[in-house]
Amino acid sequence: MSFDQYVVKLKKDAMENHQRQQQMAQQQQAAQKSGQPQAQGQAGQQVPINPGAPDPKAIAVAKWLRGQDLKSRTSLLNGQRKDMFRVKRALRALQSDAYKKAQSKKGSLLPPVKDTATASETFKLLPLSLLALRVSKVDPHEGHNHGPPAKAQKRIKGLWNIKIEQQQDISDDLHYIWLYEGPQWKQKAYAGGALLLIMTVVMFPLWPLKLRIGVWYLSMGMLGLIGLFFAMAFFRAILFGVTYFAVPPGLWLYPNLFEDVGFFDSFRPVWGWQEDKKKKSKKNKAGGAGDGKVEKGKDTNGSAVTKPAAKVASKDRDLKPRVEEVEED
């Protein structure tokens, strides 16, 4: 079941529960008029999910919790990135002194929290208003006939594939994701800026004449730099091809031009000879080859004999501190 289908199902269940409550209220009114005892609701009935606008108190709680450090991690829900957090961190935040200070402010919509029970009741406002929902990690072998592998796969932080659970329970070890994104002023500002940029480019013919001439010269300069770069790349390739046969091993103009270095280091040095990869590896191993040197010689019979080079007897050195007596003048 996808996320959108789950939300539609929640709204449908909420509407059915609402209609059922209305019917029960009408039956109670009819029973009161007829003198019958009031009908009691079914035990363990689920609290209906609000299908309309979220509760202002729930929005206030969600806005305050989003500003706290809940050590959330990024997870994937149907290919969309969502922030996931643990319930116990949210409950701790609701019982903190910072929450009490924010709740005591004038005009605050945050409900009071006195203990763990009231903190859980306050947290329930989030799933009731579809601001946060309980999720669990998706088993990659779910629906297959084979069991899980013998070795557990290494979990990469931030790449959990999750699914929404039907039962929105509250426990310390459960995970929830945020559906409340907060004020979208940044996205609106970016969208407005992109729209303004597109309109500015489209209305280029209406620009002042001096501004259009300046943009034309700027674009020609950029195209000239790009053309110069490609011409230099072709020239250095031709130069290397000529010098590879005329003066081996070949000469490179700007040898670091396409190397993984900084911008200025790409143009230093101006020229350089082609280096053999074997020579490079030998240079790298030259520092660590002191202990592995081999001396070649000949024995009395004239046959070649290899002898390992003498190693520095660093283990025989006495590294203990010593006190020397010095004669006074």
Side-chain angles (χ1 to χ4, degrees), residues 232 236 252-259 261-272:
M232 182 177 60
R236 69 190 292 270
W252 279 112
L253 182 66
Y254 299 116
N256 294 329
L257 185 62
F258 297 105
E259 297 293 334
V261 293
F263 176 77
F264 295 101
D265 293 335
S266 299
F267 299 94
R268 291 182 296 196
V270 178
W271 63 275

Side-chain angles (χ1 to χ4, degrees), residues 224-278:
L225 289 176
I226 295 174
L228 182 62
F229 179 80
F230 280 103
M232 182 177 60
F234 283 120
F235 176 75
R236 69 190 292 270
I238 295 173
L239 179 63
F240 174 75
V242 173
T243 56
Y244 181 77
F245 297 99
V247 189
L251 180 68
W252 279 112
L253 182 66
Y254 299 116
N256 294 329
L257 185 62
F258 297 105
E259 297 293 334
D260 187 12
V261 293
F263 176 77
F264 295 101
D265 293 335
S266 299
F267 299 94
R268 291 182 296 196
V270 178
W271 63 275
W273 296 101
Q274 170 70 11
E275 294 185 4
D276 192 2
K277 294 183 179 179
K278 295 182 179 179

Side-chain angles (χ1 to χ4, degrees), residues 61-81:
V61 173
K63 185 177 180 181
W64 187 84
L65 285 177
R66 287 288 280 178
Q68 304 302 310
D69 184 16
L70 302 181
K71 296 184 180 180
S72 60
R73 65 181 63 177
T74 304
S75 57
L76 297 177
L77 177 65
N78 297 330
Q80 298 180 356
R81 293 181 178 269

